[in-house]
Amino acid sequence: MGIGLSAQGVNMNRLPGWDKHSYGYHGDDGHSFCSSGTGQPYGPTFTTGDVIGCCVNLINNTCFYTKNGHSLGIAFTDLPPNLYPTVGLQTPGEVVDANFGQHPFVFDIEDYMREWRTKIQAQIDRFPIGDREGEWQTMIQKMVSSYLVHHGYCATAEAFARSTDQTVLEELASIKNRQRIQKLVLAGRMGEAIETTQQLYPSLLERNPNLLFALKVRQFIEMVNGTDSEVRCLGGHSPKSQDSYPVSPRSFSSPSMSPSHGMNIHNLATGKGSSTHFSGFESSCSNGVISNKAHQSYCHSKHTTTSLNVPELNNINVSRSQQVNSYSSNDVDMETDHYSNGVAETSSNGFLNGSSKHDHEMEECDTEMEVDSSQLRRQLCGGSQAAIERMIHFGRELQAMSEQLRRECGKNTANKKMLKDAFSLLAYSDPWSSPVGNQLDPIQREPVCSVLNSAILETHNLPKQPPLALAMGQASQCLGLMARSGIGSCAFATVEDYLH
Amino acid sequence: MASCVLEAPLRMSVLSEVTASSRHYVDRLFDLDPQKVLQGVMLLYLLQQETSSTELRTECAVVLGSLAMGTENNVKSLLDCHIIPALLQGLLSPDLKFIEACLRCLRTIFISPVTPEDLLYTDATVISHLMALLSRSRYTQEYICQIFSHCCKGPDHQTILFNHGAVQNIAHLLVSTSYKVRMQALKCFSVLAFENPQVSMTLVNVSVDGELLPQIFVKMLQRDKPIEMQLTSAKCLTSMCRAGAIRTDDSCIVLKTLPCLVRMCSKERLLEERVEGAETLAYLIETDVELQRIASITDHLIVMLADYFKYPSSVSAITDIKRLDHDLKHAHELRQAAFKLYASLGANDEDIRKKIIETENMMDRIVNGLSESSIKVRLAAVRCLHSLSRSVQQLRTSFQDHAVWKPLMKVLQNAPNEMLVVASSTLCNLLLEFSPSKEPILESGAIELLCSLTQSENLALRVNGIWALMNMAFQAEQKIKSDILRGLSTEQLFQLLSDSDVNVLMKTLGLLRNLLSTRPHIDHIMSTHGKQIMQAVTLILEGEHNIEVKEQTLCILANIADGTTAKELIMTNDDILQKIKYYMSHSNAKLQLAAMFCISNLIWNEEEGSQERQDKLRDIGIVDILHKLSQSSDPNLCDKAKTALQQYLA
């Protein structure tokens, strides 16, 4: 009996190891056969009742065998990729039980993997950095500082810059402005956010009608939610009331994101599994191996998930910023059409004025405030009839704006879907628990906030993404690429491990 | 004076910073200049002043600790100033910071090779006080464990610490949150349990947070743990296994400890780790053939060990002087560790021995090892040779090809006892009759050497000496036998026959029996030493000895009875004849049978004078006994008696 590995197309009528691209350990003489008819003394002989394990290490491309749980030492080095587990039987009546991990292995594979995980992590930790003194540190400090500035933590950024002897690239006032806008968005006060943006960066939204549209759709959603300044005032809330949404750093692993990328990973993992063989340790160690492709796919999910986790998430960020990008590249076309922008502006001015008009009614609603301030009882637009009317009116304006955009810039499926989803909220008596209810989740403000922030930064010729996020994205992409190229060490490295 | 004390704290703290970083300054403090030595004495004085503030005394302890980190001379000077009692006194203080500083300094002093460990045990109250301090802080835990593990040398120290509750006090530190504390506690257990069955048997039942110590040790063996931790916990488990506290077929030994120790032997490990790993593994598998078999197939261990002989490598010599120095330092240690492990691996299994000898240049390495300057390597090489010499096949082949007897005989000259024991054991095997080395060994003066061993104070040496002579005499030619008798001298022979050790006695009787075989040899030896031998035989048959000894003695008599002229020595000795008669009716069948052999040889028909002997034996009542024995239920005895009776009929 011979136990080993073969590439695709190797003659199945001969013991593994005898032919080119096949490798085997034979029970009768205990020799190892490395693509050759003559074996090398390797280990003990094996016979009925023995449990033989075969483990391929995809990090250093070696293979070792185990007998009854005892490692016999390296048998083959420099193995090629894409090998299938193979068992060759020569004697009539021979029987083999194969275990691909459905039962616990006799050999402690977990312990072996622990060792390699620490090895890889030590390799990362000890990676040689910058030859010139202080260069590395300065770079790291710049990354941290730019991240703080990007997300508008001006006090922290200032303190950090002071203690590390750096200059902040952006003016403090500018950071504060962005921070103000972000706070408004994250608090769901979209109307105020749009207004403030237009005041501080007059041409920004003019040049980005799609961004403006996105902001307004969000504003509509916040109206349904009862959080937008206009309806809050109608519903009896003070427009100046404290933000209910705590401003948090734009975390790149925010929990709200996980459902979507989790699903992607699953698809990717299974897709990958069928195309590659032996993508991780899990699949490669088996006691008594039999060529069986079906077994291999499930083994991939573990390490593919970990390695693709972040790239997926990053894709979302990238694609969103690209959206913004592509619209801004349309600027040339749009500048011929100042009029349309003007309309958009007036319309928003219109309801801004409206809101100021409603300010008087604030006092009248004071009595209802106690009741409505509790968000526990979720009611459309905070339960105020006036607010609902305002919301419906705003919806019509939004519809008009959408149509106008389509006329001027052509069809835009993303915009169309965005609007449709937002309007769908009205189709349910309780929008919050409806299938489209997740739009109302405060966490959905984050992408909008991020896109607006990036757009503002771009007008200052600052990167739309902080270098730290970029580096992380690159690292994740790199891990994904390693996985696709069959470089095994990526199984033991994830970006998350270093985000503490 | 007053102003000096007031100012002192400030200066002290400055000094402690300086000393830690500047060796130069530390060394200068211990200059030959008495003025400067005085500074150390001053510090000690201040430390001991009850009137000094605790801060000042703490600073003093810190500075003294820094001084102790300097050269060995620093530590010697501090010891001369009686620093240990002063620091131990400090441990009685209520101030934790001061205690920690004293412990830290004590730790530094005790881990120095110039400090005698016994200083820790001079006052019995010290150990119990240290045990009590174990609960104070993670620093006291770390330092005290480190002191214990460095000062625990041999069974006496182990017992003292054990009796002071070391196991219970230290066990919970194995799960401390501080790595240093865990590691030092683990080291404590490895030295406490080393070759100590009492501690080992206790450890196996101790549990911490509901987990038994063996399980905790197994967790510390995991492959992602630091190597130091893996190795030390493997040592603990090894001690427990050898003490019988853990079975050798327990999975924590077979699937965890053993593979871990094999990994410690791999090329990836540091030289120190490889030495320790191999030595520990050799100890673990020494007496268990199943563990030897598993180790022999694990990770190509036998081939891996061959690498231990390649230091300093030719590469290191050229490229890197520093590395060469490092390699040279460990080369001896590596070789002796490898020899030890090979010795354990090949102790019982013939296939493993074959695999070892087939390893590249193995026999040459052993032969070279036998003549190395380092006694440790020589000893280990002899052990290895001894283990391999148990193979009949190897004795006939590779041992002969490499003339291993030559360096072995050389090792036996003027060697210390420890070496002699193993070397003479090996010689015993080389002198077995089928061994082709037998002849050349005889020619190189082995008889004299072995005879001198039989006079040793050391019991093992006496046994090996006489054993080797016994092997040598087996089916040997007349000359060798005479040489042995002459070399040994009759007085020495008698000395050995009255040896208090039954093993020596048995082997001596065995030698006599081998000497007295084949008729011409019997007659010749009995003609020269007959009187003494008969005396000795009488003495033993009369003495208080076990059945085996008596049986062996009766067999000697039977051999004598087989001689032609030697027979008369028995026939003329009425005393002996009565003894033979007595043993024919003994309750033990073995002795009866042996006595029957004597009678058969005496009454055998075809020989000259058989008629007279038969008559004489009939007269003393032997025939009556033979008739009785011919009815015996024992078929052997019955047959033998019937054949004897037939001699009378013919």
Side-chain angles (χ1 to χ4, degrees):
Chain A
M1 184 189 293
I3 292 175
L5 311 154
S6 309
Q8 199 173 22
V10 169
N11 186 353
M12 285 289 137
N13 292 322
R14 290 168 45 82
L15 287 187
W18 282 346
D19 297 314
K20 224 166 184 288
H21 306 305
S22 82
Y23 306 84
Y25 166 35
H26 294 186
D28 54 348
D29 55 6
H31 287 186
S32 64
F33 290 76
C34 180
S35 305
S36 154
T38 46
Q40 298 288 318
Y42 168 69
T45 57
F46 57 88
T47 180
T48 313
D50 285 326
V51 180
I52 302 299
C54 174
C55 177
V56 175
N57 181 330
L58 292 171
I59 296 173
N60 61 10
N61 299 313
T62 59
C63 162
F64 69 86
Y65 289 89
T66 64
K67 179 180 171 180
N68 300 324
H70 302 288
S71 163
L72 304 179
I74 302 253
F76 309 112
T77 56
D78 303 306
L79 286 174
N82 301 340
L83 292 170
Y84 294 88
T86 316
V87 177
L89 304 175
Q90 243 184 348
T91 319
E94 273 184 309
V95 176
V96 174
D97 280 325
N99 174 17
F100 290 89
Q102 68 269 40
H103 305 297
F105 292 124
V106 186
F107 176 73
D108 195 345
I109 187 75
E110 291 299 326
D111 204 23
Y112 181 72
M113 280 165 54
R114 267 197 290 269
E115 181 179 347
W116 276 92
R117 188 184 300 277
T118 24
K119 267 189 201 174
I120 297 299
Q121 278 163 5
Q123 214 177 335
I124 295 171
D125 294 344
R126 289 185 209 133
F127 185 79
I129 41 161
D131 31 340
R132 260 174 294 170
E133 210 182 322
E135 204 176 53
W136 176 259
Q137 199 186 8
T138 314
M139 189 179 69
I140 294 283
Q141 285 168 348
K142 269 190 187 150
M143 280 180 108
V144 173
S145 157
S146 58
Y147 179 83
L148 294 172
V149 169
H150 183 95
H151 291 296
Y153 302 110
C154 42
T156 316
E158 236 186 335
F160 185 78
R162 232 190 348 266
S163 64
T164 55
D165 210 18
Q166 290 182 88
T167 48
V168 181
L169 284 172
E170 195 182 359
E171 275 173 45
L172 189 63
S174 165
I175 302 174
K176 282 193 169 148
N177 286 339
R178 282 194 294 111
Q179 199 184 30
R180 214 169 99 209
I181 294 167
Q182 289 188 63
K183 266 189 185 165
L184 288 171
V185 174
L186 292 176
R189 292 154 64 176
M190 286 305 296
E192 285 171 82
I194 294 168
E195 183 192 15
T196 314
T197 309
Q198 280 163 337
Q199 275 169 9
L200 294 169
Y201 310 101
S203 59
L204 176 73
L205 294 179
E206 244 170 71
R207 282 187 281 110
N208 290 298
N210 282 305
L211 174 59
L212 179 62
F213 181 71
L215 294 177
K216 293 209 171 220
V217 171
R218 186 69 215 170
Q219 186 178 7
F220 176 80
I221 294 166
E222 297 299 350
M223 283 179 157
V224 173
N225 215 0
T227 41
D228 190 64
S229 340
E230 290 185 40
V231 298
R232 268 166 75 144
C233 121
L234 292 173
H237 293 281
S238 156
K240 302 282 178 257
S241 67
Q242 281 301 300
D243 304 323
S244 59
Y245 187 81
V247 179
S248 65
R250 265 291 292 119
S251 147
F252 286 87
S253 50
S254 83
S256 67
M257 295 290 198
S258 48
S260 63
H261 65 74
M263 225 159 65
N264 281 332
I265 288 149
H266 189 69
N267 295 338
L268 249 160
T270 42
K272 249 186 69 62
S274 51
S275 63
T276 37
H277 332 284
F278 277 32
S279 288
F281 282 114
E282 295 94 319
S283 65
S284 41
C285 181
S286 46
N287 288 340
V289 189
I290 261 182
S291 170
N292 188 338
K293 289 177 214 167
H295 272 300
Q296 286 161 10
S297 54
Y298 81 90
C299 309
H300 300 295
S301 47
K302 191 176 173 193
H303 99 266
T304 350
T305 23
T306 45
S307 55
L308 287 181
N309 223 333
V310 172
E312 277 310 310
L313 178 51
N314 197 57
N315 280 342
I316 292 168
N317 289 336
V318 169
S319 67
R320 277 188 196 275
S321 2
Q322 271 169 352
Q323 248 180 29
V324 179
N325 243 351
S326 61
Y327 300 137
S328 50
S329 70
N330 284 347
D331 277 3
V332 194
D333 302 317
M334 295 172 71
E335 273 183 305
T336 56
D337 210 332
H338 266 289
Y339 175 68
S340 67
N341 285 334
V343 172
E345 209 178 1
T346 41
S347 81
S348 55
N349 280 340
F351 63 71
L352 270 170
N353 290 337
S355 81
S356 58
K357 199 164 66 186
H358 286 299
D359 274 356
H360 312 289
E361 294 168 25
M362 196 180 78
E363 276 93 61
E364 295 168 29
C365 309
D366 257 348
T367 44
E368 291 170 40
M369 219 171 77
E370 263 66 53
V371 190
D372 284 330
S373 62
S374 107
Q375 293 284 324
L376 290 172
R377 195 156 47 88
R378 294 177 306 194
Q379 283 182 308
L380 202 61
C381 301
S384 145
Q385 191 57 39
I388 292 173
E389 278 167 22
R390 175 76 198 104
M391 180 265 291
I392 288 171
H393 179 69
F394 185 78
R396 288 200 191 103
E397 286 174 353
L398 208 52
Q399 175 75 33
M401 184 185 177
S402 158
E403 281 161 17
Q404 194 182 359
L405 258 177
R406 199 181 62 204
R407 276 198 303 279
E408 284 155 12
C409 311
K411 264 193 180 168
N412 186 320
T413 45
N415 280 355
K416 196 178 165 190
K417 185 175 184 305
M418 213 192 304
L419 191 63
K420 200 180 137 200
D421 286 346
F423 284 171
S424 302
L425 286 169
L426 301 182
Y428 300 93
S429 56
D430 181 4
W432 287 270
S433 54
S434 74
V436 292
N438 74 321
Q439 294 178 91
L440 296 165
D441 191 332
I443 216 110
Q444 296 298 329
R445 295 165 187 159
E446 292 188 2
V448 180
C449 178
S450 158
V451 171
L452 178 58
N453 190 35
S454 296
I456 297 171
L457 282 166
E458 271 192 303
T459 62
H460 293 292
N461 288 321
L462 287 167
K464 63 176 189 286
Q465 252 197 323
L468 185 61
L470 209 63
M472 267 171 41
Q474 280 169 343
S476 321
Q477 283 295 315
C478 176
L479 285 173
L481 192 63
M482 284 170 84
R484 285 191 292 280
S485 320
I487 300 171
S489 47
C490 68
F492 292 134
T494 57
V495 175
E496 278 94 339
D497 291 345
Y498 298 90
L499 293 185
H500 300 300
Chain B
M1 186 63 206
S3 67
C4 166
V5 172
L6 272 174
E7 271 178 34
L10 251 177
R11 266 197 287 138
M12 286 302 155
S13 54
V14 172
L15 189 57
S16 67
E17 270 170 36
V18 173
T19 48
S21 56
S22 147
R23 266 286 289 284
H24 180 65
Y25 182 80
V26 175
D27 291 345
R28 260 186 35 211
L29 272 178
F30 287 92
D31 212 301
L32 289 174
D33 186 349
Q35 194 75 51
K36 285 170 184 164
V37 179
L38 205 62
Q39 295 189 30
V41 181
M42 272 292 291
L43 286 168
L44 260 177
Y45 174 78
L46 287 172
L47 178 84
Q48 292 177 87
Q49 286 307 298
E50 298 284 347
T51 50
S52 320
S53 74
T54 320
E55 288 77 19
L56 172 63
R57 295 168 76 195
T58 307
E59 288 299 335
C60 285
V62 170
V63 177
L64 285 166
S66 296
L67 293 174
M69 291 214 181
T71 64
E72 288 182 0
N73 279 332
N74 290 8
V75 178
K76 275 185 199 153
S77 311
L78 289 170
L79 287 171
D80 289 343
C81 302
H82 305 289
I83 187 172
I84 291 181
L87 290 169
L88 289 175
Q89 190 63 36
L91 297 182
L92 298 171
S93 155
D95 186 86
L96 182 60
K97 282 275 167 285
F98 180 53
I99 291 174
E100 285 174 352
C102 288
L103 278 174
R104 190 170 161 279
C105 184
L106 274 171
R107 184 273 316 262
T108 311
I109 285 169
F110 272 119
I111 64 174
S112 163
V114 300
T115 311
E117 300 88 28
D118 283 323
L119 289 177
L120 184 68
Y121 304 95
T122 41
D123 181 353
T125 60
V126 168
I127 304 291
S128 39
H129 188 58
L130 287 176
M131 293 290 175
L133 287 177
L134 272 174
S135 59
R136 295 297 294 277
S137 75
R138 46 172 287 202
Y139 297 106
T140 65
Q141 291 167 351
E142 181 193 335
Y143 302 146
I144 292 170
C145 284
Q146 209 174 346
I147 291 170
F148 284 163
S149 55
H150 269 89
C151 294
C152 183
K153 300 269 158 71
D156 291 346
H157 295 167
Q158 286 171 336
T159 307
I160 295 173
L161 291 175
F162 179 76
N163 289 340
H164 279 89
V167 173
Q168 285 69 28
N169 283 317
I170 299 174
H172 70 276
L173 303 182
L174 286 173
V175 295
S176 161
T177 48
S178 154
Y179 172 77
K180 282 181 177 171
V181 172
R182 282 204 306 278
M183 195 56 229
Q184 293 304 335
L186 185 60
K187 277 190 179 166
C188 261
F189 281 124
S190 84
V191 293
L192 279 171
F194 182 68
E195 292 184 357
N196 189 318
Q198 188 191 21
V199 175
S200 298
M201 293 305 280
T202 310
L203 286 187
V204 87
N205 293 319
V206 174
S207 65
V208 179
D209 296 346
E211 220 174 353
L212 286 167
L213 280 196
Q215 291 169 294
I216 294 177
F217 290 144
V218 166
K219 275 193 185 159
M220 290 174 148
L221 275 185
Q222 284 182 352
R223 292 166 84 148
D224 54 349
K225 295 285 182 298
I227 297 299
E228 186 189 29
M229 184 171 266
Q230 292 185 37
L231 187 52
T232 315
S233 55
K235 280 163 100 175
C236 293
L237 288 163
T238 296
S239 295
M240 290 161 82
C241 179
R242 282 302 302 269
I246 304 178
R247 288 166 55 106
T248 52
D249 59 358
D250 191 301
S251 75
C252 79
I253 296 297
V254 179
L255 292 174
K256 304 282 180 193
T257 311
L258 187 147
C260 169
L261 287 170
V262 174
R263 286 198 300 276
M264 294 302 141
C265 299
S266 96
K267 226 174 170 171
E268 289 169 43
R269 301 275 70 85
L270 299 176
L271 299 185
E272 295 90 328
E273 292 160 354
R274 292 168 78 182
V275 169
E276 227 175 318
E279 284 182 332
T280 312
L281 184 57
Y283 180 51
L284 176 69
I285 67 174
E286 198 176 8
T287 56
D288 188 279
V289 64
E290 200 42 50
L291 291 181
Q292 288 158 11
R293 286 194 187 118
I294 293 168
S296 78
I297 62 160
T298 302
D299 288 339
H300 298 127
L301 177 64
I302 292 174
V303 181
M304 206 195 286
L305 281 179
D307 190 72
Y308 277 47
F309 295 94
K310 295 177 182 162
Y311 291 89
S313 69
S314 47
V315 188
S316 62
I318 304 162
T319 54
D320 191 348
I321 293 293
K322 232 177 167 178
R323 174 138 168 241
L324 174 68
D325 187 50
H326 179 250
D327 282 6
L328 273 173
K329 230 193 260 164
H330 291 93
H332 296 302
E333 287 292 306
L334 281 165
R335 282 199 288 273
Q336 63 88 23
F339 279 137
K340 267 187 203 161
L341 185 45
Y342 275 134
S344 285
L345 281 166
N348 299 94
D349 187 291
E350 184 65 27
D351 288 339
I352 300 178
R353 284 184 202 124
K354 193 160 169 285
K355 258 165 92 180
I356 293 173
I357 286 175
E358 281 167 2
T359 314
E360 50 167 324
N361 305 325
M362 193 58 212
M363 286 313 288
D364 288 334
R365 279 182 181 138
I366 295 177
V367 169
N368 291 339
L370 289 175
S371 46
E372 265 202 47
S373 58
S374 154
I375 183 153
K376 229 174 154 183
V377 179
R378 284 211 304 278
L379 182 59
V382 176
R383 274 187 207 288
C384 182
L385 191 67
H386 176 234
S387 172
L388 298 176
S389 73
R390 290 182 189 141
S391 157
V392 176
Q393 196 202 349
Q394 300 310 330
L395 282 177
R396 286 188 173 142
T397 54
S398 33
F399 274 55
Q400 188 57 16
D401 299 342
H402 290 84
V404 288
W405 61 270
K406 275 189 201 163
L408 185 66
M409 286 303 288
K410 232 172 132 187
V411 163
L412 280 160
Q413 317 290 332
N414 307 318
N417 278 354
E418 197 186 358
M419 176 100 72
L420 278 177
V421 171
V422 193
S424 54
S425 274
T426 316
L427 202 58
C428 282
N429 291 342
L430 288 174
L431 285 169
L432 289 169
E433 50 94 19
F434 49 77
S435 162
S437 309
K438 191 174 173 178
E439 286 298 312
I441 293 175
L442 285 171
E443 282 159 23
S444 64
I447 293 177
E448 198 189 337
L449 183 95
L450 293 172
C451 288
S452 70
L453 286 186
T454 63
Q455 299 178 19
S456 166
E457 294 277 295
N458 184 305
L459 171 63
L461 284 181
R462 288 206 303 278
V463 174
N464 285 348
I466 194 70
W467 193 340
L469 287 171
M470 181 185 96
N471 285 350
M472 196 187 269
F474 184 74
Q475 293 182 356
E477 53 190 87
Q478 173 89 50
K479 185 183 172 301
I480 295 170
K481 290 184 177 174
S482 311
D483 286 349
I484 292 174
L485 265 176
R486 199 175 318 115
L488 204 55
S489 84
T490 20
E491 295 90 78
Q492 179 58 16
L493 197 64
F494 273 91
Q495 190 73 43
L496 290 168
L497 284 174
S498 52
D499 200 290
S500 58
D501 184 75
V502 67
N503 238 330
V504 175
L505 179 55
M506 278 300 282
K507 297 292 182 266
T508 314
L509 290 171
L511 169 66
L512 268 178
R513 206 174 144 187
N514 284 347
L515 289 172
L516 292 168
S517 74
T518 74
R519 211 162 275 171
H521 293 178
I522 297 169
D523 289 335
H524 180 259
I525 291 166
M526 291 311 284
S527 70
T528 50
H529 296 83
K531 203 177 147 210
Q532 293 95 324
I533 290 172
M534 289 310 285
Q535 266 177 12
V537 167
T538 314
L539 214 70
I540 291 168
L541 287 179
E542 281 172 0
E544 295 272 322
H545 291 290
N546 64 27
I547 301 290
E548 280 73 30
V549 170
K550 300 243 160 138
E551 186 193 11
Q552 189 79 316
T553 315
L554 286 170
C555 286
I556 291 170
L557 266 184
N559 280 10
I560 296 171
D562 191 36
T564 314
T565 53
K567 278 189 176 69
E568 287 314 304
L569 284 168
I570 297 177
M571 290 311 294
T572 54
N573 190 332
D574 286 339
D575 186 26
I576 285 286
L577 286 175
Q578 283 304 323
K579 289 199 163 64
I580 294 173
K581 184 184 162 192
Y582 165 75
Y583 282 108
M584 282 177 78
S585 316
H586 198 272
S587 59
N588 186 291
K590 275 187 186 169
L591 296 183
Q592 285 179 295
L593 204 60
M596 280 291 300
F597 274 115
C598 289
I599 297 299
S600 298
N601 283 343
L602 290 174
I603 62 174
W604 205 251
N605 254 330
E606 287 138 45
E607 286 162 20
E608 211 188 299
S610 60
Q611 193 57 52
E612 291 86 50
R613 290 194 292 275
Q614 286 182 359
D615 292 344
K616 176 153 191 194
L617 291 175
R618 183 188 287 120
D619 291 346
I620 62 167
I622 297 290
V623 176
D624 296 338
I625 301 176
L626 284 176
H627 278 297
K628 249 187 248 162
L629 286 176
S630 65
Q631 310 295 316
S632 162
S633 58
D634 186 317
N636 267 336
L637 269 178
C638 177
D639 276 4
K640 205 77 194 153
K642 280 178 181 161
T643 325
L645 284 170
Q646 272 169 7
Q647 301 297 318
Y648 276 92
L649 295 174

